[in-house]
């Protein structure tokens, strides 16, 4: 009755093992990091991974933005294998941990494999903030050939979810899926993922933009995107409409834009209108960390979209999922999902 079927949603992204620790602000300053960064690791960051493990009692948690979203979606759906995931891992223990985690939530992982170590992400928690430093390693070796070899999964899916983060790895794989979505009138969902994507990966981002049916972003990502695109405004409502009206290939589907802004209302831009969905702020004592909150929002959203529910239902489930994940360390599933009614 729900219309769910195996493989109807395909996600592509970077599978990463999160190495998460609570640190103080001094540690951030010393390493020239902001409280809410999401960046690619450079040579100068490598010592951080070691320090977190040796000095800061790091927790190891399954991560990677798209894989988080898909795990949350599966958790809510309560029916395995609706979702398939493509990403590249190494041939090591960490890959096994990631696969086991994803599979136990019901995600059908179809990993590309290479000889480098599985990627990881340093997660530096300071109060409500989390700074992310991704060392992609194996994730960076995802190849278009993997998509070609497994094109049956692409053919079989009706929805595709890809992070902006994945533009740093394989724009050609993204374009292949985007073309397929256009040709078969399927739905492509993408996420701006982080401000640096709109700056340093502007060209591949704008190449795929005309194919995007549903676009997600948060406040800082939207503001950076607007600046880079010379929108000439810092007003989120104006920015949302300008994103909505960027050129679009598939004329059968009007674009929808969803902007989140922490505990402020979620904005849904659709046609001529913008609607706001309130977020009930969590009490300070319920907050564990915000790592994965944005991913969980999208997971909740998609779990309803694949069941042909209204955007209102999609957004409200997204809000519940994000709220639940903030109460947990990282993007941890397990137990019952809070009641949807
Ligand atoms: C390319 N980059 C920077 C990234 C990421 C990433 N996932 C894919 N690519 N940087 C951080 N993450 C993941 O985001 C989640 C929180 O939203 C982290 O692994 C973390 O689980």
């Amino acid at each position: 009755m729900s219309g769910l079927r195996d493989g109807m949603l395909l996600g592509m992204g970077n599978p990463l093992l999160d190495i998460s620790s609570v640190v103080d602000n001094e540690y951030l300053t010393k390493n020239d990091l902001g409280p809410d960064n999401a960046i690619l690791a450079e040579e100068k960051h490598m010592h951080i991974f070691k320090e977190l493990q040796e000095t800061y009692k790091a927790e190891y948690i399954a991560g990677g933005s798209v894989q988080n979203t898909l795990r949350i979606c599966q958790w809510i759906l309560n029916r395995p294998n609706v979702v398939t995931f493509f990403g590249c891992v190494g041939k090591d223990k960490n890959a096994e941990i990631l696969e086991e985690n994803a599979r136990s939530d019901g995600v059908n992982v179809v990993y590309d494999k290479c000889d480098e170590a599985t990627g990881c992400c340093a997660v530096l928690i300071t109060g409500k903030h989390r700074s992310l430093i991704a060392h992609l390693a194996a994730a960076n070796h995802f190849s278009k050939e993997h998509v070609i070899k497994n094109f049956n999964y692409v053919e079989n899916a009706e929805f595709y979810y890809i992070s902006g983060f994945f533009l740093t790895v394989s724009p050609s794989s993204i374009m292949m899926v985007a073309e397929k979505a256009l040709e078969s009138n399927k739905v492509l969902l993408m996420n701006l993922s982080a401000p640096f994507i709109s700056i340093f990966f502007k060209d591949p981002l704008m190449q795929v933009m005309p194919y995007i049916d549903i676009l997600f972003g948060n406040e800082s990502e939207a503001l950076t995107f607007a600046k880079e695109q010379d929108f000439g405004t810092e007003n989120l409502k104006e920015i949302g409409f300008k994103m909505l009206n960027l050129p679009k290939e598939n004329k059968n589907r009007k674009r929808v834009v969803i902007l989140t802004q922490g505990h402020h209302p979620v904005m849904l831009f659709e046609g001529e209108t913008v609607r706001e969905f309130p977020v009930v702020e969590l009490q300070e004592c319920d907050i564990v960390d915000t790592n994965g909150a944005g991913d969980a929002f999208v997971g909740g959203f998609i779990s309803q979209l694949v069941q042909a529910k209204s955007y209102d239902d999609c957004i409200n489930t997204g809000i519940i999922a994000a709220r639940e994940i903030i109460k947990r360390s990282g993007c941890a599933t397990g137990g019952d999902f809070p009641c949807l009614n």
Side-chain angles (χ1 to χ4, degrees):
M1 225 168 59
S2 61
L4 291 176
R5 60 173 189 82
D6 286 2
M8 70 191 289
L9 168 67
L10 171 67
M12 280 202 302
N14 304 318
L16 305 176
L17 189 70
D18 287 351
I19 302 173
S20 176
S21 298
V22 175
V23 300
D24 50 25
N25 284 315
E26 228 171 277
Y27 189 76
L28 293 181
T29 319
K30 195 171 78 185
N31 288 293
D32 206 14
L33 295 165
D36 274 312
N37 279 168
I39 58 172
L40 286 168
E42 296 167 40
E43 204 43 54
K44 65 177 184 189
H45 298 120
M46 289 309 167
H47 67 99
I48 294 174
F49 292 88
K50 208 158 155 246
E51 281 164 14
L52 294 189
Q53 294 169 60
E54 286 172 4
T55 330
Y56 285 90
K57 289 195 259 164
E59 247 191 286
Y60 295 79
I61 313 168
S65 175
V66 172
Q67 199 168 246
N68 285 342
T69 293
L70 301 184
R71 288 195 297 108
I72 296 290
C73 177
Q74 276 292 171
W75 179 39
I76 298 170
L77 289 178
N78 224 345
R79 176 196 194 276
N81 300 325
V82 173
V83 176
T84 311
F85 176 69
F86 286 177
C88 189
V89 293
K91 298 163 187 157
D92 51 20
K93 184 81 197 137
N94 289 351
E96 284 169 28
I97 296 174
L98 284 184
E99 173 156 359
E100 195 182 298
N101 251 283
R103 286 208 185 273
S104 69
D105 283 320
V107 177
N108 182 25
V109 294
V110 181
Y111 286 146
D112 195 2
K113 295 223 161 118
C114 74
D115 289 328
E116 278 214 38
T118 295
C120 54
C121 181
V123 180
L124 311 181
I125 312 278
T126 46
K128 288 185 198 172
H129 302 278
R130 95 287 175 266
S131 212
L132 307 169
I133 310 162
H135 176 43
L136 297 184
N140 214 10
H141 292 268
F142 185 89
S143 77
K144 194 171 94 178
E145 281 62 44
H146 187 71
V147 181
I148 296 170
K149 207 166 71 198
N150 294 287
F151 210 69
N152 54 319
Y153 290 101
V154 183
E155 300 263 11
N156 184 38
E158 293 161 54
F159 300 87
Y160 306 104
Y161 178 58
I162 310 175
S163 57
F165 282 140
F166 202 58
L167 288 163
T168 69
V169 172
S170 188
S172 60
S173 300
I174 298 177
M175 288 315 296
M176 214 177 338
V177 171
E179 290 284 358
K180 183 70 202 168
L182 170 63
E183 179 195 305
S184 335
N185 193 29
K186 293 173 172 181
V187 185
L188 177 65
L189 302 100
M190 280 196 71
N191 200 317
L192 292 174
S193 292
F196 84 87
I197 299 293
S198 302
I199 305 172
F200 301 113
F201 296 85
K202 191 191 290 186
D203 290 349
L205 175 61
M206 295 322 283
Q207 199 192 344
V208 71
M209 188 57 77
Y211 297 80
I212 301 177
D213 298 299
I214 303 183
L215 178 67
F216 299 95
N218 69 22
E219 195 177 12
S220 64
E221 291 153 11
L223 287 170
T224 307
F225 181 85
K227 187 158 173 253
E228 290 298 313
Q229 295 299 318
D230 295 322
F231 278 0
T233 176
E234 293 183 358
N235 178 306
L236 274 188
K237 286 199 176 149
E238 289 175 15
I239 292 172
F241 280 116
K242 282 182 185 273
M243 288 172 158
L244 202 61
N245 294 316
L246 286 168
K248 188 159 189 312
E249 284 285 345
N250 185 351
K251 311 283 188 253
N252 297 322
R253 292 185 191 280
K254 288 253 166 65
R255 181 176 293 127
V256 173
V257 174
I258 294 127
L259 298 181
T260 59
Q261 29 178 4
H263 64 270
H264 297 297
V266 175
M267 295 195 279
L268 167 70
F269 298 84
E270 191 187 10
E272 311 291 310
T273 62
V274 53
R275 287 194 293 136
E276 299 194 49
F277 295 74
V279 173
V280 182
E281 210 177 336
L282 275 171
Q283 287 189 334
E284 202 80 29
C285 61
D286 283 332
I287 298 178
V288 175
D289 71 57
T290 54
N291 181 26
D295 302 334
F297 173 81
V298 180
F301 184 100
I302 301 182
S303 72
Q304 304 307 297
L305 186 73
V306 295
Q307 299 182 79
K309 297 283 178 67
S310 68
Y311 287 132
D312 290 57
D313 286 343
C314 294
I315 289 182
N316 286 324
T317 307
I319 291 171
I320 297 171
R323 205 181 143 77
E324 187 59 28
I325 286 311
I326 293 174
K327 294 191 218 163
R328 302 170 179 223
S329 179
C331 217
T333 54
D336 288 335
F337 187 74
C339 182
L340 289 178
N341 299 309

